[in-house]
Amino acid sequence: AFVPFVNSHYDLLSQVRRVSRHMPQTWTPKDEQTLASWIDALIYEASDRLTAWETNFVDSVNEQLKARGRLSQRQEEILERSYADKTS
């Protein structure tokens, strides 16, 4: 592909970001034990810091993990972010 002349570092970064947004990202699901430990920590150690939405989300993914043994990539991302933000 033709790459036009880059005038600045910012232009190069913006081009890289544009291209990388469209490239498939490799995702490796977390193991069930890790996800369950994050959920348990949020329920038993951080429940007083969760918003109503986060509480409902954690309850929902907890039930889904028990029933299916896995979560979607987006659910894992949200769960991981909540775990990092609320248990640190």
Side-chain angles (χ1 to χ4, degrees):
F2 173 73
V3 177
F5 180 74
V6 177
N7 291 326
S8 71
H9 180 69
Y10 173 78
D11 290 339
L12 179 60
L13 283 177
S14 66
Q15 289 177 12
V16 168
R17 286 185 186 118
R18 254 194 316 273
V19 170
S20 65
R21 245 191 325 241
H22 301 291
M23 295 175 67
Q25 301 295 317
T26 303
W27 173 63
T28 304
K30 303 285 188 280
D31 63 274
E32 189 175 348
Q33 185 177 9
T34 298
L35 297 172
S37 70
W38 290 349
I39 290 169
D40 287 347
L42 288 165
I43 291 172
Y44 298 111
E45 299 168 22
S47 62
D48 59 331
R49 291 176 288 234
L50 298 178
T51 65
W53 185 91
E54 288 167 329
T55 300
N56 289 333
F57 174 79
V58 171
D59 289 342
S60 175
V61 295
N62 188 33
E63 292 303 316
Q64 182 177 333
L65 188 63
K66 288 177 183 176
R68 295 175 51 197
R70 59 186 162 79
L71 302 176
S72 72
Q73 178 178 357
R74 185 70 180 131
Q75 287 170 319
E76 283 191 19
E77 290 168 356
I78 294 169
L79 182 64
E80 185 172 15
R81 186 176 63 234
S82 294
Y83 173 78
D85 291 346
K86 304 295 179 166
T87 62
S88 56

